[in-house]
């Protein structure tokens, strides 16, 4: 009789575990199986841009400018938020989708992107994403935000290996800044 009690307890425990391990909601970047307060790869990092950050949607006019930081002059958006390149991207095409894009949201274009002072307008282009949105590209590198950058000028995503490759801020020439 004790084995039946133990078996029923194990079945009930397994049922509770399955119920507790259910899926969370779908984000604008694809499905997620991690809680909204964590992205699974970086515990405590939200899976969406922080409050006050640009939403991952196109603005009326997208601008890319330069900002002085301890890493040197780097690319930022029109609000001063740091932009990154992903070394897995090839030929100006993004490879960051789903969970990757929830941690590294793309800079989406609203019309023709505009290069700020010190940047080459000819290096500023766009690329189509799988979902039909248009991502801004500089010198062949699709541009991304990092969700842990809480305010303009933060560079917490610099030189991180994530989603299979490294992430770096970009110089005015559109090259990675390879310092921490």
């Amino acid at each position: 009789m004790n084995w039946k009690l133990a078996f029923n307890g194990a079945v009930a425990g397994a049922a509770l575990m399955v119920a507790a391990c259910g899926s969370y909601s779908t984000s604008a970047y694809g499905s997620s199986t991690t809680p909204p307060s964590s992205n699974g790869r970086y515990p405590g990092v939200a899976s969406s841009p922080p409050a006050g950050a640009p939403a991952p949607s196109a603005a009326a006019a997208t601008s890319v400018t330069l900002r002085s930081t301890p890493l040197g002059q780097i690319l930022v958006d029109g609000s001063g938020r740091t932009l990154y390149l992903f070394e897995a991207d090839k030929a100006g095409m993004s490879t960051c989708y789903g969970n990757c894009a929830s941690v590294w949201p793309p800079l989406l274009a609203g019309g023709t992107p505009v290069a700020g002072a010190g940047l080459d307008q000819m290096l500023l282009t766009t690329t189509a994403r799988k979902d039909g949105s248009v991502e801004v590209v500089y010198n062949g590198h699709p541009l991304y935000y990092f969700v842990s950058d809480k305010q303009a000028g933060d560079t917490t995503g610099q030189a991180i290996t994530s989603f299979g490759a490294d992430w770096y801020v970009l110089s005015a020439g559109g090259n990675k800044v390879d310092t921490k």
Side-chain angles (χ1 to χ4, degrees):
M1 188 81 146
N2 284 341
W3 69 271
K4 287 183 181 178
L5 183 60
F7 178 76
N8 286 337
V11 169
L16 286 173
M17 291 293 286
V18 169
C21 293
S23 175
Y24 289 87
S25 65
T26 301
S27 73
Y29 305 107
S31 63
S32 173
T33 57
T34 57
S37 63
S38 172
N39 63 39
R41 182 131 177 119
Y42 298 101
V45 174
S47 293
S48 58
S57 61
T62 305
S63 64
V64 176
T65 63
L66 286 174
R67 182 182 186 105
S68 292
T69 72
L71 298 170
Q73 292 274 320
I74 63 169
L75 268 63
V76 298
D77 71 1
S79 299
R81 300 234 18 254
T82 302
L83 298 169
Y84 297 87
L85 66 80
F86 184 36
E87 288 198 312
D89 291 344
K90 302 294 180 212
M93 301 296 293
S94 177
T95 59
C96 181
Y97 292 92
N99 288 334
C100 177
S102 70
V103 177
W104 300 91
L107 172 62
L108 300 180
T112 303
V114 177
L119 296 177
D120 186 345
Q121 183 69 42
M122 296 298 292
L123 296 179
L124 194 59
T125 61
T126 59
T127 187
R129 292 182 57 81
K130 290 179 186 177
D131 65 2
S133 62
V134 178
E135 185 171 0
V136 178
V137 175
Y138 192 74
N139 193 30
H141 301 290
L143 302 176
Y144 305 88
Y145 298 104
F146 182 48
V147 295
S148 288
D149 287 349
K150 301 298 182 194
Q151 61 188 6
D154 283 353
T155 58
T156 60
Q158 174 64 0
I160 288 178
T161 300
S162 170
F163 297 98
D166 295 333
W167 297 82
Y168 294 98
V169 297
L170 296 88
S171 68
N175 301 307
K176 73 178 183 181
V177 174
D178 197 8
T179 60
K180 289 187 181 191

